[in-house]
Amino acid sequence: MKIVAADDQPQRSRRYALLLAARDSEYVLKVYGGYFNVFVSAFGGGGGEDGDVCETWDMFRAVDGELPDLDDVQRYDGFVISGSPYDAYADDLWILRLCLLVREAVSARKRVLGICFGHQVVCRALGGRVGKARRGGWDIGIREVVIAATLPPWRFLDALRDLPQCAKITECHQDEVWEAPLGADVLASSDKTGVEMFCVGDHVLGIQGHPEYTGDILLSLVDRLCTGQAITVSFAEDVKRQLKATSPDMEFWLNLCKSFLRAEELY
């Protein structure tokens, strides 16, 4: 199934595929109409300076086995892979098929952006290693990550002015990248996670955190995890207190993701 966010056929157009690795929660469905709308609102780029660029976003529910055919990879400018409650290192058929699609997209030099689970599954697909967090347990809340002192000269990084030394991002995971793929550059790390962000060339980007999450989405998720006894009540309360005291550098992260997906439009 595909859900298309734009119908016009302008002079110039970009087409992206959102590969959803999670099912819509009741809260996100009720408030936002589903994760598709959350991602397009966060990463959608609009119509360009002259209004003659249109973006089309197609949604594939990867978690339910819906993926673009390998023959359709060339139709897209980029792919975004969402977070998921599943393990990126598991051998479920849909995860193995997703890894195959990632390799095909990377081989075709399409832009591939992985978020949380997506970050991990891209790493796995390209030969890196992922698993349970080595420093133990969940990482939920706002985490400050340290941007690498030396960054590769890729266009999507050049597009950002005054890169901060540190940036806060929303996190919700208990798995992580153990070892980035061969040839990857680690772009950020934290005291909890060694690989918070990596890139492979200028067309693959993985981010462990959730640039797209709003505070209310995280709070709803924390409540669900607590109700399901995945985390304790005291842990959940600590996260809620932190969210009242601080917030992520959302504008920075969204600009980074948009710059990555549209780097060719910047020159």
Side-chain angles (χ1 to χ4, degrees):
M1 179 179 68
K2 302 178 185 178
I3 298 179
V4 181
D7 298 321
D8 297 334
Q9 295 297 324
Q11 286 184 305
R12 294 184 294 146
S13 64
R14 295 187 292 260
R15 192 179 197 99
Y16 299 98
L18 173 62
L19 310 179
L20 272 181
R23 297 179 179 90
D24 294 319
S25 70
E26 288 185 14
Y27 178 82
V28 169
L29 200 57
K30 178 180 179 181
V31 176
Y32 295 94
Y35 281 117
F36 176 74
N37 292 333
V38 173
F39 274 94
V40 173
S41 176
F43 298 157
E49 291 184 3
D50 302 324
D52 61 348
V53 179
C54 181
E55 285 187 1
T56 299
W57 286 75
D58 298 341
M59 181 180 74
F60 296 85
R61 294 194 180 275
V63 68
D64 293 324
E66 297 176 358
L67 289 170
D69 293 333
L70 295 182
D71 292 341
D72 288 338
V73 165
Q74 292 293 345
R75 298 177 57 210
Y76 292 96
D77 295 284
F79 297 83
V80 177
I81 307 170
S82 79
S84 175
Y86 293 87
D87 297 325
Y89 46 84
D91 289 331
D92 303 59
L93 180 59
W94 71 271
I95 294 175
L96 297 178
R97 291 181 60 220
L98 181 57
C99 287
L100 181 61
L101 179 66
V102 167
R103 289 192 288 271
E104 185 72 17
V106 172
S107 177
R109 295 195 65 81
K110 302 299 180 178
R111 296 196 173 274
V112 178
L113 172 61
I115 303 297
C116 197
F117 166 90
H119 159 85
Q120 297 160 15
V121 88
V122 169
C123 173
R124 175 189 180 179
L126 299 184
R129 299 176 63 217
V130 300
K132 290 294 180 189
R134 286 174 164 167
R135 295 179 188 174
W138 285 93
D139 187 8
I140 305 177
I142 309 301
R143 176 73 54 180
E144 186 171 76
V145 305
V146 179
I147 306 300
T150 302
L151 295 168
W154 306 129
R155 289 180 175 181
F156 72 94
L157 294 175
D158 291 345
L160 299 175
R161 297 179 180 179
D162 302 320
L163 278 168
Q165 183 178 5
C166 299
K168 292 180 289 186
I169 192 168
T170 301
E171 304 266 12
C172 187
H173 65 101
Q174 58 180 339
D175 296 337
E176 66 181 13
V177 168
W178 286 354
E179 184 180 327
L182 184 65
D185 289 291
V186 176
L187 304 177
S189 60
S190 71
D191 57 1
K192 173 73 173 176
T193 304
V195 184
E196 289 279 0
M197 176 167 58
F198 74 90
C199 70
V200 179
D202 67 348
H203 59 294
V204 176
L205 178 64
I207 299 174
Q208 179 58 71
H210 286 273
E212 81 286 4
Y213 269 13
T214 55
D216 61 306
I217 290 177
L218 181 60
L219 284 172
S220 173
L221 181 53
V222 167
D223 285 339
R224 283 194 289 124
L225 290 172
C226 187
T227 299
Q229 300 184 332
I231 60 175
T232 65
V233 173
S234 61
F235 188 107
E237 292 302 318
D238 286 343
V239 173
K240 292 177 181 180
R241 279 192 291 270
Q242 187 202 34
L243 290 176
K244 288 182 179 179
T246 189
S247 59
D249 296 312
M250 198 164 181
E251 183 177 358
F252 165 78
W253 291 105
L254 294 185
N255 284 340
L256 175 63
C257 293
K258 290 179 180 181
S259 295
F260 169 75
L261 290 171
R262 295 162 193 85
E264 294 176 351
E265 293 294 326
L266 298 172
Y267 291 82

